[in-house]
Amino acid sequence: MEFFLNAFATLFVTVDPIGLAPLFLAVTAGVTAETRARIAAQSCLIALIVLMLFALAGNNILGLLGVSIPAFRVAGGLLLFWTAFEMVFERRQQRKEATAEKVLDHSESANLAVFPLAIPLISGPGSISASVLLATQTKSLVALGGLLGLIFLVVAMVYALFRIAEKLDRYISETARMVLTRLLGVLLSAMAVQFIADGVRSLANMPA
């Protein structure tokens, strides 16, 4: 029981469902409710698969590719910083038609669900590292199954908060939405820099 409580706390903190909800609103600003619901479902499903895959075979996957978690952290941070840059300077909105409701086609919404929502926001370096490390601590198939259940629970919480955020978005004015997008873009850029700094620090301490 102590292991499962610690595992849940670790996954909840690293995934951060509460903190992801406003970021989800900012990243999907301007899309229809139907498209936003599809993006929420797709991003959570992809993140769930990624986290469960790494929990089951994370060390083998990274070893096969010759990629370390610190290197993954730096790469994710760089990509996340570019997304934050677009949010702050409205580059994403400039690429869309200036209509009241902007509709993304299925390929565009799928791309948005994969990056940056599923990776690296939901299943980022922190949550992937946590999944791998927690899996190494399981001593039986029952414990491993319980860990997978906890991963499912945390991602389900992310999805629920995404849907609630989508409903709350109806009451946010355009001005408030613009301010929120830019503010969260700045916060997202700080997260990205932290990802990069942690990754560089870990790479510097790795044996040659």
Side-chain angles (χ1 to χ4, degrees):
M1 183 59 67
E2 183 180 353
F3 167 76
F4 289 125
L5 289 174
N6 290 335
F8 175 77
T10 301
L11 290 169
F12 187 84
V13 170
T14 54
V15 174
D16 190 15
I18 297 174
L20 288 177
L23 290 174
F24 171 75
L25 279 183
V27 170
T28 59
V31 305
T32 63
E34 179 185 355
T35 303
R36 182 174 275 148
R38 183 170 67 246
I39 292 173
Q42 289 175 334
S43 62
C44 289
L45 178 60
I46 293 167
L48 179 64
I49 293 172
V50 169
L51 291 177
M52 285 191 170
L53 184 62
F54 272 91
L56 291 170
N59 285 325
N60 293 332
I61 293 173
L62 293 177
L64 184 64
L65 296 175
V67 176
S68 64
I69 288 290
F72 182 83
R73 189 182 294 271
V74 172
L78 290 172
L79 293 172
L80 199 60
F81 187 84
W82 177 250
T83 298
F85 177 85
E86 288 190 321
M87 288 169 62
V88 172
F89 293 100
E90 267 197 330
R91 295 298 178 87
R92 178 176 288 108
Q93 295 291 68
Q94 291 174 7
R95 291 200 302 265
K96 299 175 185 176
E97 295 180 359
T99 55
E101 282 193 331
K102 302 174 181 64
V103 181
L104 298 178
D105 61 29
H106 283 275
S107 62
E108 287 179 304
S109 64
N111 289 338
L112 193 59
V114 174
F115 177 83
L117 289 172
I119 304 169
L121 288 180
I122 305 175
S123 56
S127 54
I128 288 177
S129 302
S131 298
V132 174
L133 293 174
L134 288 170
T136 60
Q137 297 176 29
T138 58
K139 311 232 182 258
S140 66
L141 290 177
V142 174
L144 181 59
L147 176 61
L148 296 179
L150 289 177
I151 293 174
F152 177 85
L153 175 61
V154 172
V155 175
M157 294 171 67
V158 173
Y159 176 73
L161 287 168
F162 278 2
R163 297 309 308 272
I164 293 173
E166 183 268 322
K167 289 179 173 59
L168 292 176
D169 187 48
R170 300 172 188 173
Y171 304 100
I172 301 176
S173 67
E174 187 62 30
T175 301
R177 189 177 292 110
M178 290 172 60
V179 172
L180 181 65
T181 299
R182 284 168 170 76
L183 176 61
L184 292 173
V186 173
L187 294 176
L188 194 60
S189 66
M191 289 173 56
V193 171
Q194 188 63 55
F195 275 175
I196 295 170
D198 291 344
V200 170
R201 189 181 303 112
S202 298
L203 286 172
N205 292 330
M206 289 178 65

